[in-house]
Amino acid sequence: MSDIQAIQTRLVDDIAAAGDLDALEALRVAALGKAGSITALLKSLGGMTPDERQAQGPQIHTLREAVTAALANRKAALDAAALDIKLAAEAIDMSLPADAAPRGSVHPVSQVMDELAEIFADMGFAVATGPEIEDDWRNFTALNIPETHPARAMHDTFYFPDTDAEGRAMLLRTHTSPVQIRTMMSQEPPIRIIAPGRVYRSDSDATHTPMFHQVEGLVIDRGIHMGHLKWTLETFLKAYFERDDIVLRLRPSYFPFTEPSAEVDVGYKQEKGRRIVGGHGDDDGHAWMELLGSGMVNRRVIANCGLDPDEWQGFAFGVGVDRLAMLKYGMDDLRAFFDGDLRWLSHYGFGALSVPTLSGGISA
């Protein structure tokens, strides 16, 4: 008993005096390794008589447990001391600049959508939305587009094989005009809305994609005329391009849903291969560029929505959001808008806090 107690005292003292993990590991091997002193005592139990085993076995197992506990406690103490030394040596200099973290950006289309909403909100317009999957009545028929119109052809419009409960063909909307129909059928005049959103047409090249973004405007009220339309478009385009020298030219045109109809041209000039909107199209170095379509809402469209065209009149207009972004911010290929190229987005994208306001600047 006294020999085992002496061994325990010696080993525990040596473990407590171990100065590092290497010294502690050497003591563990010397005591508990295959050739260790405690391992030898455990092996000796096999050669003892039952009475000797009963007397010395518990003492040897107690020795092993005491040494194991002492090793664990000393290792924890050495680990804590090593961590304290490491933390003291790795102090952070808070005056150093932080590493730059990757930052996302707002897509130009989203930015321009926000700019348009800000401009038209200042003129009393609300933002209206609608489903991108439409029936052909709201997309075509209610807009006075005849059955034989080319826009209804399969090569221009994406149709679904299904029909709705009333047997009407279903399709991906080709413009946001169905939002105008839905608004006139669900809301009492006067109406002032813009309808931004995605639209779909079977077309693809540098300036056309099968999916693109469009914004349309609609005003329904009493006594509305072309003068109101022209003022609205001039005010909108001057605010959007942030120039006071925007000059419009309205050319007679034809759209089934407006009568009279007008294509709207703006003056522009070329600078370093880029179109800069502004100035009179007939001035030296300038030319005219078609920008959007517009007109007075056709009486048939008003009647199709359950309103009296003798009481209510209105105007409507539509323009591509992607094209507005290209003209203002200098992009030259519409397909790049949807490639998901991070290099393009980091160059043309906007910061998350670049919120357009009329007071702070629409271009953020």
Side-chain angles (χ1 to χ4, degrees):
M1 176 67 180
S2 59
D3 291 340
I4 294 176
Q5 186 63 46
I7 293 172
Q8 179 175 328
T9 302
R10 177 175 57 79
L11 288 176
V12 170
D13 290 344
D14 290 345
I15 290 170
D20 54 43
L21 293 174
D22 290 338
L24 186 65
E25 176 63 14
L27 289 171
R28 186 195 70 79
V29 171
L32 300 173
K34 291 183 177 181
S37 57
I38 296 177
T39 304
L41 289 173
L42 290 170
K43 291 178 179 179
S44 69
L45 291 174
M48 296 181 182
T49 65
D51 291 339
E52 291 174 333
R53 253 196 318 274
Q54 185 176 5
Q56 298 189 31
Q59 299 175 25
I60 296 173
H61 286 293
T62 299
L63 169 63
R64 182 181 63 178
E65 292 172 0
V67 170
T68 300
L71 288 168
N73 292 336
R74 185 55 181 166
K75 183 177 186 303
L78 291 173
D79 285 340
L83 179 60
D84 290 340
I85 294 172
K86 183 177 181 181
L87 290 175
E90 293 182 355
I92 299 175
D93 185 351
M94 300 302 292
S95 66
L96 293 175
D99 294 335
R103 292 189 302 172
S105 60
V106 177
H107 195 283
V109 169
S110 299
Q111 182 73 16
V112 171
M113 291 276 204
D114 289 343
E115 294 179 15
L116 298 177
E118 178 70 16
I119 293 168
F120 281 103
D122 191 60
M123 291 192 283
F125 284 69
V127 176
T129 59
E132 295 176 19
I133 298 177
E134 269 291 2
D135 58 71
D136 66 347
W137 187 86
R138 290 184 177 89
N139 197 81
F140 294 125
T141 307
L143 291 162
N144 197 42
I145 299 175
E147 295 286 344
T148 57
H149 196 281
R152 290 185 180 245
M154 293 288 289
H155 60 76
D156 280 334
T157 301
F158 295 106
Y159 282 94
F160 289 96
D162 310 308
T163 58
D164 66 5
E166 299 179 29
R168 295 180 294 204
M170 302 300 292
L171 49 86
L172 291 174
R173 66 183 183 186
T174 59
H175 42 197
T176 58
S177 300
V179 178
Q180 299 184 31
I181 300 299
R182 289 177 176 273
T183 302
M184 284 190 282
M185 294 182 69
S186 62
Q187 180 178 323
E188 292 291 330
I191 296 170
R192 289 174 176 81
I193 63 162
I194 58 169
R198 286 185 291 264
V199 297
Y200 305 85
R201 298 179 189 174
S202 184
D203 201 356
S204 182
D205 56 41
T207 57
H208 300 83
T209 54
M211 186 282 293
F212 59 100
H213 298 82
Q214 188 182 57
V215 62
E216 295 188 5
L218 172 71
V219 170
I220 299 291
D221 207 337
R222 296 182 177 92
I224 298 296
H225 53 72
M226 288 289 288
H228 296 127
L229 169 62
K230 185 178 180 183
W231 177 88
T232 299
L233 294 178
E234 283 184 339
T235 303
F236 152 51
L237 292 173
K238 286 179 180 179
Y240 176 72
F241 288 106
E242 298 180 279
R243 298 178 64 116
D244 291 328
D245 61 346
I246 300 294
V247 180
L248 305 187
R249 181 178 71 176
L250 274 65
R251 289 182 290 106
S253 186
Y254 168 75
F255 303 112
F257 33 82
T258 52
E259 180 61 36
S261 303
E263 299 276 7
V264 180
D265 301 336
V266 293
Y268 77 98
K269 61 180 177 180
Q270 291 281 151
E271 287 187 4
K272 299 179 181 180
R274 176 180 170 185
R275 291 186 177 188
I276 305 298
V277 175
H280 197 288
D282 292 333
D283 290 345
D284 290 341
H286 288 70
W288 293 105
M289 172 178 58
E290 177 188 330
L291 184 60
L292 56 89
S294 65
M296 301 298 294
V297 180
N298 194 298
R299 289 173 57 89
R300 293 182 179 178
V301 174
I302 295 175
N304 287 340
C305 295
L307 301 177
D308 182 358
D310 292 326
E311 180 182 4
W312 302 103
Q313 302 80 45
F315 65 77
F317 58 88
V319 60
V321 176
D322 317 277
R323 187 158 187 237
L324 288 175
M326 293 172 72
L327 287 172
K328 185 173 182 177
Y329 296 112
M331 302 86 159
D332 57 6
D333 192 333
L334 182 59
R335 292 168 295 191
F337 278 62
F338 314 113
D339 284 344
D341 189 329
L342 293 179
R343 297 167 299 176
W344 187 91
L345 289 170
S346 65
H347 179 76
Y348 288 111
F350 293 81
L353 299 180
S354 300
V355 180
T357 62
L358 291 175
S359 58
I362 285 295
S363 294

